[in-house]
Amino acid sequence: MTTHVWDYRAEYEEERAEILDAVQKVFESGRLVLGESVLGFEAEFASYLGASHCVGVDNGTNAVKLALEAVGVGPGDEVITVSNTAAPTVLAIDGAGATPVFVDVRAEDFLMDTGLVAAAVTPRTKAIVPVHLYGQCVDMAPLNDLAAEHGLAVVEDCAQAHGARQQGRLAGTMGRAAAFSFYPTKVLGAYGDGGAVVTDDPDVDRALRRLRYYGMEDVYYVEQTPGHNSRLDEVQAEILRRKLGRLDTYIARRQAIAHRYAEGLGDLCEPGSLELPSVTEGNDHVYYVYVARHPRRDDIIRMLRERYDISLNISYPWPVHTMRGFAHLGVPQGSLPVTEALAERIFSLPMYPSLSPALQDKVIGALREVLRAL
């Protein structure tokens, strides 16, 4: 049987009764859109983070887009971010009418190199979107200092960092607004699409509630444009409410798997060969994905699939600025050397809370055999 990078089925069996009860509760409620389940999840997720406001939306991409619009980003503006991210981060910036401007990442942790951001600021810069990639946080203190100096909004992309901390502060509480995805693979995942924006700013909260609901405050009356149909679904919200109570358990399981990988593979690590994830000082890593690197990455993936039926993933094989869909940005190949070099070496080992010890051992043993055979 194939060992997948992610699989929800064992977790579903463990939580089946509660998930089905959540669905039944919504169906019996008499309210299928923007009802008590969405309101309840918004309050509970905001409370978990220690934030003032949470606005549920339909997916993580629109969470970034609506957050940018709510802080005033629009056509003609520039938004600084990274190319080593999932394309939706950049699609959201483009969708808000702004131009994405890329800075490189740090080789040691794959995260935005905040020391490069000041040079990317222009008179058109309106916001910065740091991506808390793979499960740990961008260095936020210097970024916030720079943003304050230039009057910029910081919108955290927390799609991969539910529950991650930096110096004790949770991801999503260190900018003017923060966007979350609840896609099923996430640390806190729904059983379909879902997202949210978190903020302490009441004006941003009010703008978000209009933006997700056609620009309306009252039914059938548009207060402002743009407006979107971007509401979090009641069923997904109720499922998320149930799963939110387990979030810290999910994180602990992911961290335990990461520790097991490090113990089982650490003796094979050396620069220029196998390198395992590092945790930046001050960060608590939640391991949304477990990203290793090796110069013969493609051979490793092929051999694990062919010999051991283990399926790995690459997050991400193509930096956003190299994709044909973003050729209009005119960012030349070679302009982000660290990002481009990482894309040729990184690969993700299986990582999800219900990954059994037996499958963990299978992955460790198979990878050790493959590395010896290279």
Side-chain angles (χ1 to χ4, degrees), residues 216-230:
M216 297 179 182
E217 292 182 1
D218 295 317
V219 177
Y220 303 131
Y221 190 92
V222 174
E223 293 284 350
Q224 68 176 61
T225 56
H228 309 279
N229 179 7
S230 298

Side-chain angles (χ1 to χ4, degrees), residues 5 27 145 165 323:
V5 168
F27 286 175
D145 289 344
R165 295 176 184 268
M323 298 179 185

